Amino acid sequence: MLVGERIRNTREDMDMLQQELADAVKINVSVLSRIEKGARQIRDDELVKIADKLHVTTDYLLGRTDDARPLETSLAPPAVPAATPSLTPQDRELLHKYHTLTPDHQQDIDHQLDFLYDKDRPKIEDTAT
């Protein structure tokens, strides 16, 4: 039951819906629901995908540690490059909204952003010099 509780609590802490997580890890939402309730055992491949999506370790989900943060290794690139600014609350809200859209609507947004970026690029390049 601990695995399911940790998945549910972490997912809810991230303001993520069951459907979002299920879609991201390519399982049926009813399967995720049963895992969270402890009514179904989680498979190893599901555990790894869910841990990755929730940005926690499998050991945390399994209850082997109370530290949810993934371990940083010298071989892995830093999670956020030093030159990347922190996300503002508005950035987080936009990302949350984007990730709740259907894939077709996400693609529509991507096309619109590309169009506007290309349209404004000369303005951006002029101010950079």
Side-chain angles (χ1 to χ4, degrees), residues 10 13 15 19 22 33 49 53 67 72 76 82 99 103 127-129:
T10 306
D13 288 347
D15 293 324
Q19 187 68 56
S33 178
K49 289 177 186 176
K53 183 64 182 171
D67 185 359
E72 295 293 329
H99 287 290
T127 60
T129 58

Side-chain angles (χ1 to χ4, degrees), residues 11-72:
R11 177 182 57 75
E12 289 174 350
D13 288 347
M14 296 176 69
D15 293 324
M16 184 183 296
L17 300 173
Q18 269 187 338
Q19 187 68 56
E20 290 176 75
L21 181 57
D23 289 346
V25 299
K26 310 237 186 302
I27 61 174
N28 191 292
V29 69
S30 65
V31 170
L32 178 59
S33 178
R34 290 196 317 271
I35 290 170
E36 288 186 355
K37 291 176 184 173
R40 180 188 179 278
Q41 292 290 321
I42 190 167
R43 294 189 334 231
D44 292 345
D45 63 314
E46 296 165 338
L47 179 69
V48 171
K49 289 177 186 176
I50 289 172
D52 287 346
K53 183 64 182 171
L54 296 177
H55 307 290
V56 296
T57 63
T58 55
D59 280 350
Y60 172 75
L61 293 179
L62 292 170
R64 295 176 51 141
T65 180
D66 289 329
D67 185 359
R69 295 172 297 164
L71 298 174
E72 295 293 329

Side-chain angles (χ1 to χ4, degrees), residues 82-124:
T84 303
S86 298
L87 294 178
T88 65
Q90 293 85 0
D91 296 335
R92 292 181 203 279
E93 182 180 353
L94 285 171
L95 283 171
H96 175 73
K97 287 178 181 179
Y98 178 84
H99 287 290
T100 60
L101 297 173
T102 64
D104 287 341
H105 288 152
Q106 286 178 350
Q107 189 175 27
D108 290 343
I109 294 294
D110 293 342
H111 290 300
Q112 290 175 3
L113 285 172
D114 289 341
F115 170 78
L116 292 171
Y117 179 79
D118 289 342
K119 184 177 178 182
D120 286 349
R121 188 182 326 204
K123 297 174 193 171
I124 294 167

